[in-house]
Amino acid sequence: MVDRTVADVVVERLLAWRVPRAFGYPGEAIAPLVDALDRTGGEPAFIPARHEETASFMATGHAKFTGGIGVCLATQGPSAVQLLNGLYDAKLDSKPVVAIVGEDISGPLGGAHQEIGLSRLFGDVCNQFVRYGRSPEDVGPLLDQAFRTAAATRSPTCVVLPRQLQEALVPALQTYGAGVITATPGEPLARVLPHEADLDAAAQLLSGGQRTAILVGQGGRDAAAEIIEMADRLGAGVATSLLGKPVLDERLPFHTGVLGEVGTPAAAELMGGCDTLLMVGTNDPWTDYFPMPEQARTVQIDIDGRRIGTRYPADVPLVGDAAETLRALLGRMRGRPEQQWRATVESSVDRWREVAAERAAAAADPVNPQLVLQELSARIPGTGAVAVDVGSVLYWYARHLTLPPGVNAQLCGTLGSMGCALPYAVAAKLAAPDQPVIALLGDGAMQLNGLAELITVSHLWQQWRDPRLVVLVLNNRDQNGMGGGREPSSDRTHRRPDVPYAGWARLLGLHGVRVDRPELVGAAWDEALAADRPCVLEAVVDPAVSLAPPEPAFADLRGLYAEGAPARKVREQVEVTANANDLV
C-alpha cells in the first residue's frame, strides 16, 4: 500500500462523512489540504470564497439547506478570526459545522508571525471542542470525533492542523497502543421519544384547552403533516418563528404567519387570545409576543432538552423528535375541535391578508418594497430555495412572501448577522444545481460582501444545470440599516453610496435588471426568473415605508375571551385592533 499524506487522510475522512465540498479562503498554512482536494477531481471539492467570513457562512448555509455537516477551511491568525461570524451563526441556529484551520508557525511561542491562541479564540463558539493534530496517526480519528461531536451537539467544532503535519506521510500499517484515539465515521440518528407518562400528561393538557395556539420553529421540519393534523384535532391556530416559516403551507386558513417584531398582527392576536400553547421545535427569542405569564398552559417539544422552558414556562416538557412525538401524542388525543376559536383565528388571518395587500399597493417613492415581495409571491418557483439577509428585507420577507410547500428558506435566525444571504445562496445552489435559488438582500448587505461574492457566482454558474440564481437587492440608500418609516436623511453620513448593482452584475457576465417604477416590478421579476444565467434584480425602493411592528399580545382580546364573549364580538374586536395597528 502506498503511503499517503495527512492531507490525503483528511480528504478520505471528508468522503467518509459524505461531505461534498469544503468552503474556504486559500493560504499557505492550509495549502497541502487544498492541493489534496484539487487532486480528487471534484469530490469533495474546494470552493474558494472571496473572504473567510463568507466561507463560514457558506458552510453554515450548506448545513441549513441540506441537513448535512458544513466544512470550512482557513489559516491561523486573522484568517481564523474571520470564521467566527459564520460559526456563531451555526452555533446559535444549531447547525453542525467543522472548521479545519491550518497553522504555520515557527519561532518561539508568543513571538511568531500571525500567532493567535486558537483554543481560546474558538473555545466558546465550538463549545470547547478545539483539537490539535499532533501526529499522522491521530488525524483520522480526530476528524471523526470532530464530525461526530458536531452532528451530536448540532454545533461547530474545530480541528487545527499544522502545515508540516498536513505534509507528513501516514504509515500504511498502523498499530494500536495505549493512548491512541480511535473512532469510526457515521451519523447514527437515534429515535428519540418522551416517556409514556409525559406523553399522557401532554395529551390531557392539550385535550382540555379551549383556545389552542401552536408555535412552530425549525425543529418542525419533516413534521408538517403531523402539525396540521394536530391543529385540526384541536381547532388550533398556527404561528411560526422566522426559522419555522418554511415548515407549513402559509396558505392554510388558520396559519397566522410569523410571530414577533417582524411578524404579523394575526400571529400576535393568536398569542394574545390563547389559553393553551403547543411549542414545536422553536427557540423563538421574541418573548414579548408570547402569551402573558400564567396566561397559557404549555407543552413544549424539542430534541434539545436544554431549550425547554427558556422562552416560556413549560407545564409538560417533551424531549424528542417532532414528528415522532406528535404522532405519539395524536394517538392519545380526544377529538374536540373548538370551532369558535378556529373561526376567530381565521377571521384574523383574513383581515391581515387584506391589510398586507393594501400595504403593498400603497404609493411610495419610487417603489414600495412590500410590493416587490408581493409580486415575487405570485411568481416564486414551486421548488428550490430562498436565502434571506438581515435588515428591512427580513420584515418584507416575513410578511409578504408566501412560500410554496417544499421551498426551503433559510436565514441567520438568532445571530442576526448581515451578509449571510448570498453565501447561503451559493451553498444552496451548489447543493442542488438543478433547482432555482433566490437571495433577498438589502443594499447594505450587498455592499458588505455581496458585490465580492458575485465574483464567486460568476466563476461557478456555468456548472449548474439550472442557471437561475436571482439576487434581489432592495436599494433604499439608507445607511441607518433598517429603514422603518424615517424620512430619508439629507446628511450624507446617513446616506449609503448608490452603487449600480445590476450594472456590476452585467460587468461580471451575469444578467442585471434595474426597476424604479412600481408598474414594472412584475415584469422585472419575470425577466429575472427567465434569464439564462444568474441575475441581479435591483429594485430602487422607498426607505420611508414603515416597518409597522404589530402590537404584542392584545390585553383586550384576552379580556373578551376570559368573559366568554361570543365569537362574533371577538371577531369584531380583532378587526378593530388590526385597524388600530395599521395607524402605528
Side-chain angles (χ1 to χ4, degrees):
M1 184 179 291
V2 178
D3 286 344
R4 307 103 73 213
T5 67
V6 166
D8 293 324
V9 171
V10 174
V11 172
E12 292 171 6
R13 304 327 288 163
L14 296 182
L15 278 172
W17 283 90
R18 302 185 296 279
V19 174
R21 62 195 62 88
F23 305 92
Y25 190 88
E28 285 300 313
I30 204 71
L33 177 52
V34 172
D35 291 342
L37 287 167
D38 287 342
R39 289 195 295 270
T40 67
E43 191 169 340
F46 174 67
I47 307 298
R50 304 311 106 196
H51 193 275
E52 293 88 350
E53 180 182 64
T54 52
S56 63
F57 274 131
M58 288 176 187
T60 300
H62 173 86
K64 289 185 174 186
F65 279 106
T66 69
I69 301 175
V71 173
C72 55
L73 311 179
T75 62
Q76 85 278 0
S79 181
V81 172
Q82 303 295 350
L83 292 179
L84 291 179
N85 209 8
L87 293 181
Y88 270 109
D89 177 21
K91 176 183 179 178
L92 295 176
D93 281 356
S94 299
K95 300 302 174 186
V97 173
V98 175
I100 302 175
V101 179
E103 195 173 50
D104 190 7
I105 292 177
S106 59
L109 191 64
H113 183 55
Q114 292 192 335
E115 183 180 346
I116 288 178
L118 297 178
S119 292
R120 295 188 65 184
L121 180 70
F122 290 107
D124 177 65
V125 71
C126 294
N127 296 320
Q128 306 307 317
F129 192 101
V130 185
R131 302 288 188 270
Y132 285 74
R134 300 299 185 189
S135 68
E137 294 80 7
D138 71 8
V139 170
L142 184 61
L143 281 167
D144 290 339
Q145 285 193 331
F147 276 92
R148 190 176 304 285
T149 301
T153 62
R154 298 171 177 83
S155 65
T157 59
C158 177
V159 174
V160 183
L161 299 177
R163 178 189 171 111
Q164 296 86 344
L165 180 60
Q166 297 171 49
E167 297 171 325
L169 293 177
V170 178
L173 297 176
Q174 300 181 33
T175 60
Y176 290 94
V180 174
I181 301 173
T182 62
T184 53
E187 288 180 75
L189 298 178
R191 179 173 181 258
V192 181
L193 274 172
H195 293 293
E196 296 290 322
D198 294 328
L199 289 168
D200 291 339
Q204 183 177 3
L205 186 154
L206 293 171
S207 296
Q210 298 298 310
R211 303 180 302 277
T212 302
I214 302 177
L215 179 60
V216 179
Q218 63 171 335
R221 289 177 186 269
D222 302 322
E226 290 81 4
I227 294 169
I228 293 171
E229 184 177 351
M230 181 65 76
D232 286 338
R233 190 79 64 87
L234 297 173
V238 173
T240 72
S241 68
L242 267 171
L243 290 172
K245 181 176 167 73
V247 172
L248 299 177
D249 185 348
E250 294 188 286
R251 297 167 298 184
L252 291 167
F254 53 86
H255 194 315
T256 64
V258 173
L259 181 70
E261 183 180 323
V262 304
T264 73
E269 290 161 8
L270 176 70
M271 292 294 150
C274 73
D275 66 2
T276 306
L277 175 62
L278 172 60
M279 299 171 63
V280 181
T282 179
N283 194 35
D284 197 322
W286 268 307
T287 54
D288 285 353
Y289 290 84
F290 278 53
M292 295 293 285
E294 301 183 3
Q295 172 192 328
R297 301 187 67 200
T298 303
V299 173
Q300 183 173 358
I301 302 171
D302 204 293
I303 191 65
D304 188 345
R306 295 172 298 180
R307 293 188 169 176
I308 290 181
T310 59
R311 303 301 187 188
Y312 193 80
D315 295 280
V316 182
L318 299 177
V319 178
D321 298 302
E324 293 268 12
T325 302
L326 286 168
R327 283 196 290 270
L329 276 177
L330 285 165
R332 293 166 162 80
M333 299 295 299
R334 301 193 304 271
R336 187 207 45 76
E338 176 49 70
Q339 297 302 328
Q340 176 179 318
W341 172 242
R342 173 63 74 84
T344 302
V345 171
E346 292 183 1
S347 293
S348 179
V349 171
D350 290 342
R351 171 60 188 162
W352 158 242
R353 290 173 179 169
E354 293 173 3
V355 169
E358 292 169 2
R359 291 182 182 179
D365 182 21
V367 174
N368 187 333
Q370 299 167 108
L371 175 67
V372 179
L373 274 296
Q374 193 95 328
E375 291 288 347
L376 172 58
S377 276
R379 295 168 171 81
I380 186 169
T383 60
V386 175
V388 189
D389 222 296
V390 173
S392 59
V393 69
L394 196 59
Y395 287 70
W396 314 139
Y397 158 77
R399 298 172 185 166
H400 295 279
L401 181 60
T402 302
L403 295 172
V407 172
N408 194 355
Q410 297 290 346
L411 48 89
C412 187
T414 307
L415 185 61
S417 183
M418 184 183 291
C420 63
L422 194 45
Y424 278 11
V426 170
K429 194 65 182 178
L430 289 169
D434 59 342
Q435 299 288 323
V437 175
I438 299 172
L440 308 177
L441 292 73
D443 51 353
M446 198 63 181
Q447 290 189 22
L448 185 70
N449 58 33
L451 292 171
E453 288 308 326
L454 277 184
I455 299 172
T456 304
V457 174
S458 70
H459 176 66
L460 296 171
W461 77 267
Q462 293 186 4
Q463 306 169 24
W464 301 335
R465 290 189 293 277
D466 183 332
R468 289 178 294 173
L469 192 164
V470 180
V471 181
L472 169 68
V473 181
L474 294 181
N475 182 5
N476 67 8
R477 295 88 61 209
D478 180 35
Q479 186 68 33
N480 291 288
M482 295 297 284
R486 296 183 309 273
E487 287 298 321
S489 173
S490 59
D491 186 344
R492 58 186 176 183
T493 63
H494 293 158
R495 297 284 287 171
R496 183 173 288 115
D498 202 2
V499 173
Y501 304 102
W504 170 240
R506 291 191 289 269
L507 284 175
L508 293 174
L510 309 176
H511 195 61
V513 180
R514 187 176 190 271
V515 60
D516 58 6
R517 292 167 56 188
E519 67 271 19
L520 297 180
V521 170
W525 272 117
D526 291 336
E527 180 179 345
L529 289 167
D532 64 352
R533 62 196 62 209
C535 176
V536 170
L537 172 54
E538 177 188 352
V540 184
V541 298
D542 191 344
V545 174
S546 174
L547 300 179
E551 290 290 337
F554 297 95
D556 49 358
L557 289 183
R558 286 196 301 276
L560 282 171
Y561 286 120
E563 296 164 10
R568 179 185 56 79
K569 183 177 180 182
V570 174
R571 286 197 295 274
E572 290 174 354
Q573 184 60 43
V574 168
E575 294 183 2
V576 169
T577 308
N579 284 323
N581 187 56
D582 290 341
L583 303 176
V584 175

